[in-house]
Short mmCIF file of all heavy atoms in Angstrom, two decimals:
data_model
loop_
_atom_site.label_atom_id
_atom_site.label_comp_id
_atom_site.label_asym_id
_atom_site.label_seq_id
_atom_site.Cartn_x
_atom_site.Cartn_y
_atom_site.Cartn_z
N LEU A 1 29.56 6.34 38.07
CA LEU A 1 29.26 5.02 38.49
C LEU A 1 29.23 4.08 37.31
O LEU A 1 29.52 3.02 37.50
CB LEU A 1 27.90 5.15 39.34
CG LEU A 1 27.41 3.72 39.97
CD1 LEU A 1 28.48 3.28 40.95
CD2 LEU A 1 26.06 4.00 40.60
N LEU A 2 28.46 4.48 36.30
CA LEU A 2 28.09 3.63 35.21
C LEU A 2 28.76 4.00 33.94
O LEU A 2 28.27 5.13 33.36
CB LEU A 2 26.55 3.48 35.11
CG LEU A 2 25.82 2.94 36.24
CD1 LEU A 2 24.35 3.14 36.02
CD2 LEU A 2 26.13 1.53 36.59
N PRO A 3 29.61 3.33 33.27
CA PRO A 3 30.12 3.75 32.09
C PRO A 3 29.13 3.85 30.87
O PRO A 3 28.18 3.01 30.79
CB PRO A 3 31.31 2.65 31.72
CG PRO A 3 30.79 1.57 32.53
CD PRO A 3 30.11 1.99 33.80
N GLU A 4 29.37 4.72 30.02
CA GLU A 4 28.41 5.02 28.88
C GLU A 4 28.22 3.68 27.95
O GLU A 4 27.20 3.43 27.45
CB GLU A 4 28.89 6.18 28.05
CG GLU A 4 27.88 6.61 26.97
CD GLU A 4 28.45 7.89 26.17
OE1 GLU A 4 29.56 8.21 26.44
OE2 GLU A 4 27.68 8.32 25.44
N LYS A 5 29.35 2.99 27.86
CA LYS A 5 29.27 1.93 26.89
C LYS A 5 28.29 0.75 27.29
O LYS A 5 27.86 0.17 26.36
CB LYS A 5 30.77 1.18 26.75
CG LYS A 5 31.21 0.51 27.94
CD LYS A 5 32.54 -0.10 27.60
CE LYS A 5 32.92 -1.10 28.80
NZ LYS A 5 34.12 -1.87 28.48
N ILE A 6 28.03 0.71 28.58
CA ILE A 6 27.12 -0.49 28.91
C ILE A 6 25.72 -0.10 28.31
O ILE A 6 24.95 -1.04 28.03
CB ILE A 6 26.96 -0.61 30.50
CG1 ILE A 6 26.40 0.61 31.13
CG2 ILE A 6 28.34 -0.89 30.99
CD1 ILE A 6 26.02 0.30 32.57
N TRP A 7 25.26 1.05 28.22
CA TRP A 7 23.99 1.51 27.63
C TRP A 7 23.97 1.28 26.15
O TRP A 7 23.09 0.70 25.60
CB TRP A 7 23.61 2.96 28.04
CG TRP A 7 23.65 3.15 29.42
CD1 TRP A 7 24.48 3.65 30.32
CD2 TRP A 7 22.46 2.89 30.33
NE1 TRP A 7 24.20 3.76 31.64
CE2 TRP A 7 22.84 3.26 31.73
CE3 TRP A 7 21.17 2.39 30.12
CZ2 TRP A 7 21.95 3.03 32.73
CZ3 TRP A 7 20.38 2.25 31.22
CH2 TRP A 7 20.68 2.57 32.48
N LYS A 8 25.13 1.60 25.45
CA LYS A 8 25.19 1.37 24.05
C LYS A 8 25.16 -0.12 23.70
O LYS A 8 24.62 -0.53 22.75
CB LYS A 8 26.47 2.02 23.52
CG LYS A 8 26.43 3.59 23.57
CD LYS A 8 27.72 4.14 23.04
CE LYS A 8 27.74 5.77 22.90
NZ LYS A 8 28.91 6.26 22.39
N GLU A 9 25.92 -0.82 24.44
CA GLU A 9 26.05 -2.26 24.13
C GLU A 9 24.64 -2.93 24.42
O GLU A 9 24.28 -3.86 23.76
CB GLU A 9 27.02 -2.91 25.18
CG GLU A 9 28.51 -2.55 24.75
CD GLU A 9 29.58 -3.01 25.63
OE1 GLU A 9 29.17 -3.54 26.82
OE2 GLU A 9 30.77 -2.81 25.22
N ALA A 10 23.96 -2.49 25.41
CA ALA A 10 22.60 -3.05 25.73
C ALA A 10 21.70 -2.85 24.70
O ALA A 10 20.83 -3.70 24.25
CB ALA A 10 22.12 -2.67 27.08
N LEU A 11 21.67 -1.60 24.10
CA LEU A 11 20.91 -1.17 23.06
C LEU A 11 21.17 -1.88 21.72
O LEU A 11 20.21 -2.35 21.02
CB LEU A 11 20.89 0.27 22.81
CG LEU A 11 20.11 1.19 23.72
CD1 LEU A 11 20.29 2.62 23.51
CD2 LEU A 11 18.62 0.96 23.65
N GLU A 12 22.39 -2.16 21.54
CA GLU A 12 22.79 -2.89 20.29
C GLU A 12 22.39 -4.40 20.52
O GLU A 12 21.80 -5.03 19.38
CB GLU A 12 24.36 -2.90 20.28
CG GLU A 12 24.99 -1.58 19.76
CD GLU A 12 26.46 -1.49 19.76
OE1 GLU A 12 27.10 -2.58 20.10
OE2 GLU A 12 27.03 -0.41 19.39
N GLU A 13 22.47 -4.94 21.60
CA GLU A 13 21.93 -6.31 21.87
C GLU A 13 20.49 -6.40 21.59
O GLU A 13 20.05 -7.30 20.95
CB GLU A 13 22.30 -6.68 23.39
CG GLU A 13 21.95 -8.14 23.75
CD GLU A 13 22.09 -8.45 25.22
OE1 GLU A 13 22.61 -7.60 26.01
OE2 GLU A 13 21.59 -9.47 25.56
N ALA A 14 19.70 -5.37 22.02
CA ALA A 14 18.22 -5.37 21.80
C ALA A 14 17.92 -5.27 20.44
O ALA A 14 16.98 -5.96 19.89
CB ALA A 14 17.60 -4.07 22.59
N GLY A 15 18.78 -4.44 19.66
CA GLY A 15 18.53 -4.42 18.25
C GLY A 15 18.75 -5.63 17.48
O GLY A 15 18.11 -6.12 16.54
N ASP A 16 19.79 -6.41 17.99
CA ASP A 16 20.22 -7.73 17.29
C ASP A 16 19.09 -8.77 17.50
O ASP A 16 18.98 -9.69 16.66
CB ASP A 16 21.49 -8.02 17.91
CG ASP A 16 22.80 -7.29 17.47
OD1 ASP A 16 22.55 -6.48 16.47
OD2 ASP A 16 23.81 -7.19 18.06
N ILE A 17 18.47 -8.77 18.53
CA ILE A 17 17.53 -9.89 18.84
C ILE A 17 16.15 -9.76 18.33
O ILE A 17 15.32 -10.66 18.45
CB ILE A 17 17.50 -10.34 20.27
CG1 ILE A 17 16.78 -9.14 21.22
CG2 ILE A 17 18.87 -10.61 20.80
CD1 ILE A 17 16.54 -9.58 22.60
N MET A 18 15.87 -8.49 17.81
CA MET A 18 14.48 -8.21 17.34
C MET A 18 14.14 -9.06 16.17
O MET A 18 15.08 -9.49 15.34
CB MET A 18 14.39 -6.65 16.96
CG MET A 18 14.27 -5.78 18.09
SD MET A 18 14.25 -4.06 17.46
CE MET A 18 12.81 -4.08 16.30
N LYS A 19 12.91 -9.48 16.14
CA LYS A 19 12.33 -10.21 14.96
C LYS A 19 11.18 -9.47 14.36
O LYS A 19 10.05 -9.92 14.48
CB LYS A 19 11.99 -11.67 15.43
CG LYS A 19 13.19 -12.51 15.96
CD LYS A 19 12.62 -13.87 16.38
CE LYS A 19 13.81 -14.73 16.74
NZ LYS A 19 13.44 -16.02 17.11
N PRO A 20 11.45 -8.43 13.67
CA PRO A 20 10.30 -7.56 13.13
C PRO A 20 9.45 -8.22 12.11
O PRO A 20 8.38 -7.78 11.82
CB PRO A 20 11.05 -6.33 12.65
CG PRO A 20 12.48 -6.77 12.22
CD PRO A 20 12.85 -7.87 13.36
N GLU A 21 9.96 -9.33 11.45
CA GLU A 21 9.19 -9.94 10.25
C GLU A 21 8.36 -11.08 10.80
O GLU A 21 7.69 -11.67 10.09
CB GLU A 21 10.13 -10.55 9.42
CG GLU A 21 11.13 -9.42 8.67
CD GLU A 21 10.38 -8.21 8.05
OE1 GLU A 21 9.30 -8.43 7.48
OE2 GLU A 21 10.80 -7.14 8.37
N THR A 22 8.24 -11.29 12.18
CA THR A 22 7.54 -12.43 12.72
C THR A 22 6.10 -12.16 12.39
O THR A 22 5.46 -11.06 12.71
CB THR A 22 7.77 -12.64 14.20
OG1 THR A 22 9.14 -12.88 14.50
CG2 THR A 22 6.73 -13.74 14.84
N GLU A 23 5.41 -13.07 11.79
CA GLU A 23 3.91 -13.02 11.41
C GLU A 23 3.13 -13.27 12.74
O GLU A 23 3.34 -14.12 13.53
CB GLU A 23 3.67 -14.03 10.30
CG GLU A 23 2.31 -13.79 9.89
CD GLU A 23 1.92 -14.93 8.70
OE1 GLU A 23 2.84 -15.58 8.19
OE2 GLU A 23 0.69 -14.96 8.29
N LEU A 24 2.28 -12.43 12.93
CA LEU A 24 1.30 -12.47 14.12
C LEU A 24 -0.18 -12.65 13.90
O LEU A 24 -0.75 -12.13 12.80
CB LEU A 24 1.52 -11.22 14.97
CG LEU A 24 2.93 -10.96 15.34
CD1 LEU A 24 3.18 -9.54 16.10
CD2 LEU A 24 3.60 -11.95 16.35
N MET A 25 -0.80 -13.21 14.86
CA MET A 25 -2.33 -13.22 14.86
C MET A 25 -2.75 -12.81 16.16
O MET A 25 -3.09 -13.50 17.05
CB MET A 25 -2.83 -14.72 14.55
CG MET A 25 -2.41 -15.28 13.28
SD MET A 25 -3.31 -16.93 12.91
CE MET A 25 -2.27 -17.91 14.25
N ILE A 26 -2.77 -11.40 16.19
CA ILE A 26 -3.22 -10.75 17.33
C ILE A 26 -4.40 -9.77 17.18
O ILE A 26 -4.21 -8.98 16.15
CB ILE A 26 -2.12 -10.00 18.16
CG1 ILE A 26 -0.85 -10.92 18.47
CG2 ILE A 26 -2.47 -9.24 19.39
CD1 ILE A 26 0.36 -10.31 18.99
N GLN A 27 -5.42 -9.87 17.83
CA GLN A 27 -6.64 -9.02 17.62
C GLN A 27 -7.09 -8.37 18.90
O GLN A 27 -6.90 -8.93 20.00
CB GLN A 27 -7.79 -9.98 17.07
CG GLN A 27 -7.39 -10.60 15.75
CD GLN A 27 -8.46 -11.55 15.28
OE1 GLN A 27 -9.48 -11.63 15.89
NE2 GLN A 27 -8.18 -12.34 14.25
N GLY A 28 -7.64 -7.17 18.73
CA GLY A 28 -8.14 -6.46 19.88
C GLY A 28 -9.56 -5.98 19.51
O GLY A 28 -9.79 -5.29 18.50
N TYR A 29 -10.44 -6.20 20.46
CA TYR A 29 -11.82 -5.75 20.10
C TYR A 29 -12.17 -4.69 21.30
O TYR A 29 -11.76 -4.79 22.38
CB TYR A 29 -12.81 -6.74 20.23
CG TYR A 29 -12.74 -8.02 19.48
CD1 TYR A 29 -13.31 -9.37 19.85
CD2 TYR A 29 -11.97 -7.91 18.26
CE1 TYR A 29 -12.95 -10.31 19.03
CE2 TYR A 29 -11.76 -9.09 17.48
CZ TYR A 29 -12.36 -10.23 17.87
OH TYR A 29 -12.08 -11.40 17.11
N ASP A 30 -13.17 -3.85 20.99
CA ASP A 30 -13.81 -2.90 21.98
C ASP A 30 -15.01 -2.42 21.41
O ASP A 30 -15.13 -2.47 20.15
CB ASP A 30 -12.91 -1.79 22.32
CG ASP A 30 -13.34 -1.20 23.76
OD1 ASP A 30 -14.26 -0.43 23.79
OD2 ASP A 30 -12.62 -1.51 24.76
N ARG A 31 -15.98 -2.03 22.29
CA ARG A 31 -17.25 -1.63 21.79
C ARG A 31 -17.32 -0.19 21.39
O ARG A 31 -18.34 0.29 20.81
CB ARG A 31 -18.33 -1.93 22.85
CG ARG A 31 -18.23 -1.19 24.06
CD ARG A 31 -19.24 -1.60 25.07
NE ARG A 31 -19.23 -0.77 26.15
CZ ARG A 31 -20.15 -0.89 27.35
NH1 ARG A 31 -21.15 -1.78 27.15
NH2 ARG A 31 -20.00 -0.13 28.30
N GLU A 32 -16.33 0.65 21.65
CA GLU A 32 -16.27 2.07 21.48
C GLU A 32 -15.26 2.39 20.42
O GLU A 32 -14.09 2.07 20.57
CB GLU A 32 -15.99 2.85 22.75
CG GLU A 32 -17.10 2.51 23.88
CD GLU A 32 -16.74 3.16 25.20
OE1 GLU A 32 -15.95 4.14 25.07
OE2 GLU A 32 -17.21 2.85 26.32
N GLU A 33 -15.65 3.08 19.32
CA GLU A 33 -14.70 3.36 18.29
C GLU A 33 -13.60 4.35 18.65
O GLU A 33 -12.54 4.18 18.26
CB GLU A 33 -15.64 3.99 17.18
CG GLU A 33 -14.72 4.13 15.85
CD GLU A 33 -14.08 2.85 15.33
OE1 GLU A 33 -14.79 1.74 15.21
OE2 GLU A 33 -12.81 2.88 14.94
N GLU A 34 -13.90 5.28 19.61
CA GLU A 34 -12.99 6.18 20.11
C GLU A 34 -11.82 5.53 20.75
O GLU A 34 -10.75 5.88 20.63
CB GLU A 34 -13.73 7.24 20.95
CG GLU A 34 -12.66 8.32 21.39
CD GLU A 34 -13.30 9.55 22.07
OE1 GLU A 34 -14.54 9.65 22.10
OE2 GLU A 34 -12.65 10.22 22.62
N VAL A 35 -12.12 4.58 21.68
CA VAL A 35 -11.17 3.81 22.25
C VAL A 35 -10.28 3.01 21.37
O VAL A 35 -9.09 2.88 21.53
CB VAL A 35 -11.87 2.90 23.35
CG1 VAL A 35 -10.89 1.87 23.91
CG2 VAL A 35 -12.57 3.60 24.37
N LEU A 36 -10.80 2.47 20.26
CA LEU A 36 -10.20 1.66 19.31
C LEU A 36 -9.11 2.65 18.53
O LEU A 36 -8.09 2.22 18.16
CB LEU A 36 -11.08 1.07 18.25
CG LEU A 36 -11.82 -0.12 18.85
CD1 LEU A 36 -12.89 -0.63 17.89
CD2 LEU A 36 -10.91 -1.30 19.15
N ARG A 37 -9.49 4.00 18.43
CA ARG A 37 -8.56 4.90 17.78
C ARG A 37 -7.39 5.07 18.55
O ARG A 37 -6.31 5.27 18.18
CB ARG A 37 -9.41 6.13 17.49
CG ARG A 37 -10.23 6.24 16.14
CD ARG A 37 -10.68 7.57 15.73
NE ARG A 37 -11.54 8.29 16.73
CZ ARG A 37 -12.86 8.23 16.68
NH1 ARG A 37 -13.50 7.47 15.74
NH2 ARG A 37 -13.53 8.78 17.58
N MET A 38 -7.56 5.24 19.86
CA MET A 38 -6.56 5.32 20.82
C MET A 38 -5.69 4.04 20.77
O MET A 38 -4.37 4.19 20.57
CB MET A 38 -6.99 5.41 22.33
CG MET A 38 -7.86 6.65 22.62
SD MET A 38 -8.31 6.54 24.40
CE MET A 38 -9.48 7.98 24.41
N ALA A 39 -6.15 2.89 20.75
CA ALA A 39 -5.43 1.59 20.59
C ALA A 39 -4.51 1.57 19.30
O ALA A 39 -3.41 1.37 19.34
CB ALA A 39 -6.39 0.49 20.60
N ARG A 40 -5.24 1.98 18.25
CA ARG A 40 -4.55 1.97 16.90
C ARG A 40 -3.34 3.04 16.93
O ARG A 40 -2.18 2.77 16.43
CB ARG A 40 -5.36 2.37 15.78
CG ARG A 40 -6.43 1.24 15.53
CD ARG A 40 -7.15 1.53 14.24
NE ARG A 40 -8.32 0.57 14.10
CZ ARG A 40 -9.73 0.79 14.42
NH1 ARG A 40 -9.94 2.03 14.90
NH2 ARG A 40 -10.52 -0.18 14.29
N ALA A 41 -3.58 4.21 17.59
CA ALA A 41 -2.56 5.25 17.62
C ALA A 41 -1.30 4.69 18.58
O ALA A 41 -0.18 5.05 18.16
CB ALA A 41 -3.14 6.54 18.30
N ASN A 42 -1.74 4.13 19.70
CA ASN A 42 -0.70 3.55 20.49
C ASN A 42 0.19 2.51 19.84
O ASN A 42 1.39 2.45 19.97
CB ASN A 42 -1.28 2.97 21.83
CG ASN A 42 -1.82 3.97 22.82
OD1 ASN A 42 -1.40 5.25 22.73
ND2 ASN A 42 -2.72 3.67 23.56
N ALA A 43 -0.42 1.56 19.10
CA ALA A 43 0.17 0.55 18.29
C ALA A 43 1.17 1.14 17.18
O ALA A 43 2.17 0.80 17.10
CB ALA A 43 -0.83 -0.33 17.72
N GLY A 44 0.71 2.26 16.59
CA GLY A 44 1.52 2.92 15.71
C GLY A 44 2.77 3.53 16.40
O GLY A 44 3.95 3.47 15.90
#
């Protein structure tokens, strides 16, 4: 049903539009240190 190339082309498109150097000001707070460890691991 679906040619393999459509997946490759979509992934290439996704890679081309990324802006990994964009500077961000995003912060997350929580009152529990263990929960924050999960958040940091997920971000990683």
Side-chain angles (χ1 to χ4, degrees):
L1 183 64
L2 301 173
E4 187 179 5
K5 71 173 185 176
I6 68 170
W7 300 96
K8 289 182 178 178
E9 288 172 356
L11 282 172
E12 286 173 6
E13 181 186 356
D16 289 344
I17 67 169
M18 282 176 60
K19 295 182 177 179
E21 302 306 316
T22 298
E23 190 179 351
L24 302 175
M25 293 186 294
I26 299 174
Q27 300 173 8
Y29 307 154
D30 202 277
R31 64 182 187 176
E32 297 176 23
E33 189 58 47
E34 186 175 343
V35 169
L36 290 169
R37 281 197 290 271
M38 293 180 188
R40 293 187 187 104
N42 288 336

